[in-house]
Amino acid sequence: MLLLRLCSLLGAATLTVQGNFDGVLVDTRVLEAAVKKFLNEQDELFSSQCAKTLSASWDYQTNITSYNMIRLLAAQEDYKTLQKVSWVMVGRWRAMHRYLQDPAIMRQLEAMSVLGPAALRTEYLSKYTNTVRGMTAVYTSATVCNYHRPYQCDLTLERAKKILRNSRDPKELAHVWRTWRVNTRKIRRAYPRFVRLANHAALANHYASKDELELFEYGGVDFKNQMAEAWEQLKPLYLQLHAYTRRKLRQVYGSQVVSERGPLPVHLLGDMWGQQWKISKLIMPYPGKRYPNVTNRMRKQRYTPTLMFKVADDFFSSLGLPRMPPSFWRDSLLQKPHDREVVCHSSAWDLCNGQDYRIKHCAEVSEEDLASAHHEMAHLQYFLHYRHQPYAYRQGANPGFQEAVGHTVEMIAATPRHLYRLGILRRLEEDPEADINFLLQVALDKLTFMPFAYLMDLWRWRVFDGTYEESEWNCAWWDLRYNVQGVKPPILRTEDDFDPASKYHVDADLSYTRYFVGFVLQYQFHKALCIKAGQYGWNSAIPLHKCDIFRSTEAGKALRDMMQLGSSRPWPEALQVLTGQREMDASVMREYFRPLEDWLRKDNARHGEYVGWRSDGEYCVYKKPFLMQPTIHSSTIIHHKDDPILQVN
Ligand SMILES: *[C@@H]1O[C@H](CO)[C@@H](O)[C@H](O)[C@H]1NC(C)=O
Ligand SMILES: *[C@@H]1O[C@H](CO)[C@@H](O)[C@H](O)[C@H]1NC(C)=O
Ligand SMILES: [Zn+2]
């Protein structure tokens, strides 16, 4: 059908460039005009279907009823159908690439040429969907046993996380850590099938394996090297933090539990996965020293959730960026309603019609929510700036960009300098000890996350491309945990376990690269904006973590120039527009933490602390024949509902 339409077009053409096309002369100009027409039609179709789906999704998430759920599911089905039909046609156009010369057309076709698992034939797609659904169902229904009452096995993950954050009993911590994994390890049975189907889906998208498909959005598999380099840049700082943390934990738990030169016992890090260490209370160098907590002051000044968003709107306006449209104030959900059930997880919405932009946030008046109001509104600014782009380009330059912009603005909004300029803080005081505490707190959140985020995908890439044998999946996981992160499990692991599956993103097939990239870019964006704002440079008295770009139209312009590109250009170009750099550069993150790194180096040297780690036992073996572990049965099943269209959180 497509070919017929082409042939009829050819008749009227004046020939400029010709090629032989199945015995027919092809005119590039005519062909390109036809592709453009196709792309315009697709753009309208996608925008309107996306608008329908997202508006149904909004209705559901802000008012959970079965009626709204049914409407949402129907809209999602329509969206998927459109995607598949469009994808098949894009494939046909791409097959004619020899006759297409306009690189803009080729780029747009390419952007539309990846469909993910939906490219599978129907019977395989349902196998894939069922496999992932099965794995996430195991995860969401898994529970943990109470350490003090061993037959009470109904603790939810939320409760388990609280215990890991607050308990100081290493036996209880190890118990919670282990029983969570006893329940999630049965995912191992499904995982080989998942890997086969995921690679199969990659092939259907014309990529050799799943890792290649995933890295398409980052410009290809060379991106693996860029991630490895970024991690190398951060390592010297991480080693210092690791050594310092080990000494502090040894003081709390004794050297029987935390050895002098060993890796860190992962169950002592305040987090189920040891991905962000929630142990600041245990290891703060200067207890009690912190930047002022402004929550009470905000309450005294009669802040409301809406006022916090007005303040965020003023922030962007002060950079010369547009204000939120009136519909934002009319339609957003800025605090928790009492007359219906809602999904409270905060999110920023682009309803795909070029007019409706909303935030859903159950905000309360606090310094944290003031910062996250800025974060969510930064996403909306990004949406607003690329709204003139075609649908295929209405997203960040790569999947890390949106979050990086959100994180940067959030970080700036929370600086004491900014709070002072807002009149929330009355005085600005210099306190080098509070600075170190602050930077350590941030490092426990951001820096400790980096090796974890890196190995989450490194392990999966090696599973997908066959580097790891199925029989060594779990020990390979611990190999990375030991070598990259310097952590060890509380008890010996075997190939009967499957510890990667204790993490939701592994079971739900969600890549982790975007988080890693988002954190690296955040600091690159931050430094570039601070330089534009005249707040940071070679002779600057203000350290990077204290800069505030409020009222700098220079910074605003740089941000605008980058955001308006959407993903219409390769991401290094977008990065260059804002930062002058074309590559991910984690040295900027290290620069941000420089005062902390200097402090840690001195402190570790003063205590003669060994920097790095050596093996202090066996962490994973293939079989552990005589030890039986209890199996735990769970009773509740919570079904996870997934959203097909990207929403930025
Ligand atoms: C919530 O959705 C129901 C439909 O299921 C609708 O009748 C009701 O008016 C909605 N409530 C609000 C507050 O929008
Ligand atoms: C700040 O103070 C508020 C109110 O006193 C409190 O609820 C909140 O936990 C504090 N935040 C931090 C980070 O300590
Ligand atoms: Zn976000």
Side-chain angles (χ1 to χ4, degrees), residues 590-609:
R590 225 173 123 195
E591 188 175 336
Y592 178 92
F593 288 111
R594 176 82 62 217
L596 176 67
E597 182 169 346
D598 293 343
W599 187 92
L600 288 169
R601 278 183 194 282
K602 273 197 212 119
D603 191 70
N604 286 329
R606 194 153 55 90
H607 291 93
E609 187 65 29

Side-chain angles (χ1 to χ4, degrees), residues 216-235:
F216 151 80
E217 290 176 291
Y218 301 89
V221 283
D222 174 59
F223 197 71
K224 290 183 187 176
N225 298 327
Q226 298 181 42
M227 286 189 44
E229 274 168 38
W231 169 235
E232 284 302 319
Q233 288 176 305
L234 292 172
K235 218 167 171 178

Side-chain angles (χ1 to χ4, degrees), residues 194-217:
F194 164 72
V195 170
R196 276 197 306 279
L197 288 164
N199 276 333
H200 209 70
L203 273 181
N205 286 277
H206 310 290
Y207 288 93
S209 58
K210 162 90 168 158
D211 48 318
E212 283 192 24
L213 172 64
E214 263 174 21
L215 291 171
F216 151 80
E217 290 176 291

Side-chain angles (χ1 to χ4, degrees), residues 78 165 434:
D78 291 348
R165 238 186 351 257

Side-chain angles (χ1 to χ4, degrees), residues 375-376 379 402-403 406-407 648-649:
H375 176 116
E376 300 301 337
H379 290 321
Q402 263 284 11
E403 280 316 309
H407 292 321
V648 182
N649 296 320

Side-chain angles (χ1 to χ4, degrees), residues 413-430:
T415 57
R417 183 179 306 271
H418 186 66
L419 296 170
Y420 173 71
R421 290 167 86 178
L422 289 179
I424 296 176
L425 257 186
R426 252 179 309 191
R427 277 189 305 275
L428 257 190
E429 285 164 5
E430 288 298 325

Side-chain angles (χ1 to χ4, degrees), residues 44-62 67-83 348-353 356 358 360 391 394 641-647:
E44 276 175 31
L45 284 172
F46 270 100
S47 298
S48 96
Q49 189 56 49
C50 169
K52 281 182 201 150
T53 311
L54 279 178
S55 120
S57 183
W58 173 270
D59 289 348
Y60 172 72
Q61 292 203 20
T62 58
Y67 173 80
N68 285 341
M69 178 186 274
I70 289 165
R71 272 187 58 226
L72 171 58
L73 290 175
Q76 285 175 339
E77 279 310 310
D78 291 348
Y79 186 84
K80 284 183 199 159
T81 308
L82 171 64
Q83 264 188 319
W349 296 62
D350 171 352
L351 281 93
C352 305
N353 58 9
D356 286 331
R358 299 178 195 168
K360 176 172 70 62
Y391 182 77
R394 292 207 294 266
K641 190 191 63 61
D642 59 338
D643 227 3
I645 302 179
L646 175 110
Q647 275 159 26

